[in-house]
Amino acid sequence: MDRHIWQGFTTMVLTFLVVFGISTFSLVGTTSTQFGITTVHAEKKTRQLPKLLDQQIAILVGLDINPNWVKEQSAADSLIYGIMKPDDTVPAGINEDYSYLVTSNRDKEISLFFKADKKKVTIKYANHGKKLHTKTVPLSRLVEQSYWTKKQRQQVNKYVGALRTE
């Protein structure tokens, strides 16, 4: 009988420690108390996106569509970045809101058009002037995929430094 009382006492002490530990942990999140029970609501920490230049977004878009193409064309000093102008000849659905990333190497031609806002990037792309594909991706995904680590940022910025402009 003494053993059962001791086990009950131990369970009660452990429960108290867990509840006390959770209530002191609440400094990290928000708490609410109802019927004498304290609950903890965890807060999801979000990473803040870095401020990106349009040229950096161009490289991130290129890496999303075809990373080998970006690497090869950058090494060949063939990547060209620009902002659409009213007199540019482009496929339907692309206007002055878009920027572009293309190559001077006609054998490896991919045309990337994109426009970005604070949260998403709309990408329109075609291989060798064929059908235009459209996709919208969260900017956060492009950053997490290719610009999160120091090494990734250095590589993207290296590609940006090699861009030619029209």
Side-chain angles (χ1 to χ4, degrees), residues 87-153:
D87 58 337
D88 286 339
T89 304
V90 293
I94 298 181
N95 57 35
E96 298 88 35
D97 294 338
Y98 282 80
S99 299
Y100 60 87
L101 184 66
V102 296
T103 180
S104 60
N105 184 349
R106 298 296 175 210
D107 294 336
K108 301 286 185 177
E109 184 179 353
I110 295 178
S111 300
L112 299 173
F113 304 94
F114 67 95
K115 68 177 178 178
D117 62 28
K118 292 181 181 184
K119 292 188 178 194
K120 67 182 183 324
V121 181
T122 301
I123 305 166
K124 297 187 179 196
Y125 62 100
N127 294 331
H128 302 287
K130 294 183 181 174
K131 183 182 176 194
L132 192 65
H133 303 277
T134 303
K135 76 179 200 175
T136 301
V137 296
L139 183 57
S140 61
R141 186 181 73 114
L142 294 178
V143 168
E144 289 171 3
Q145 174 180 291
S146 301
Y147 199 74
W148 205 250
T149 69
K150 182 178 180 180
K151 184 176 180 180
Q152 288 173 324
R153 288 189 302 273

Side-chain angles (χ1 to χ4, degrees), residues 4-165:
H4 292 307
I5 293 173
W6 181 249
Q7 286 176 339
F9 178 74
T10 305
T11 303
M12 188 172 68
V13 169
L14 288 174
T15 303
F16 174 79
L17 290 174
V18 168
V19 170
F20 180 75
I22 289 173
S23 65
T24 58
F25 183 74
S26 67
L27 295 173
V28 175
T30 58
T31 62
S32 63
T33 304
Q34 185 175 10
F35 307 114
I37 300 172
T38 302
T39 58
V40 176
H41 306 282
E43 292 179 5
K44 182 180 177 186
K45 291 199 175 210
T46 56
R47 298 178 182 180
Q48 189 167 354
L49 291 177
K51 299 233 185 265
L52 297 169
L53 300 172
D54 201 48
Q55 294 88 337
Q56 291 168 314
I57 296 172
I59 295 299
L60 294 177
V61 165
L63 292 171
D64 183 64
I65 299 299
N66 191 328
N68 290 332
W69 176 77
V70 172
K71 181 179 178 180
E72 291 168 4
Q73 297 310 304
S74 182
D77 195 30
S78 298
L79 283 178
I80 302 169
Y81 160 83
I83 298 171
M84 298 304 305
K85 297 178 189 110
D87 58 337
D88 286 339
T89 304
V90 293
I94 298 181
N95 57 35
E96 298 88 35
D97 294 338
Y98 282 80
S99 299
Y100 60 87
L101 184 66
V102 296
T103 180
S104 60
N105 184 349
R106 298 296 175 210
D107 294 336
K108 301 286 185 177
E109 184 179 353
I110 295 178
S111 300
L112 299 173
F113 304 94
F114 67 95
K115 68 177 178 178
D117 62 28
K118 292 181 181 184
K119 292 188 178 194
K120 67 182 183 324
V121 181
T122 301
I123 305 166
K124 297 187 179 196
Y125 62 100
N127 294 331
H128 302 287
K130 294 183 181 174
K131 183 182 176 194
L132 192 65
H133 303 277
T134 303
K135 76 179 200 175
T136 301
V137 296
L139 183 57
S140 61
R141 186 181 73 114
L142 294 178
V143 168
E144 289 171 3
Q145 174 180 291
S146 301
Y147 199 74
W148 205 250
T149 69
K150 182 178 180 180
K151 184 176 180 180
Q152 288 173 324
R153 288 189 302 273
Q154 289 172 336
Q155 187 62 54
V156 167
N157 292 331
K158 179 181 172 187
Y159 291 146
V160 167
L163 285 175
R164 295 171 32 199
T165 57

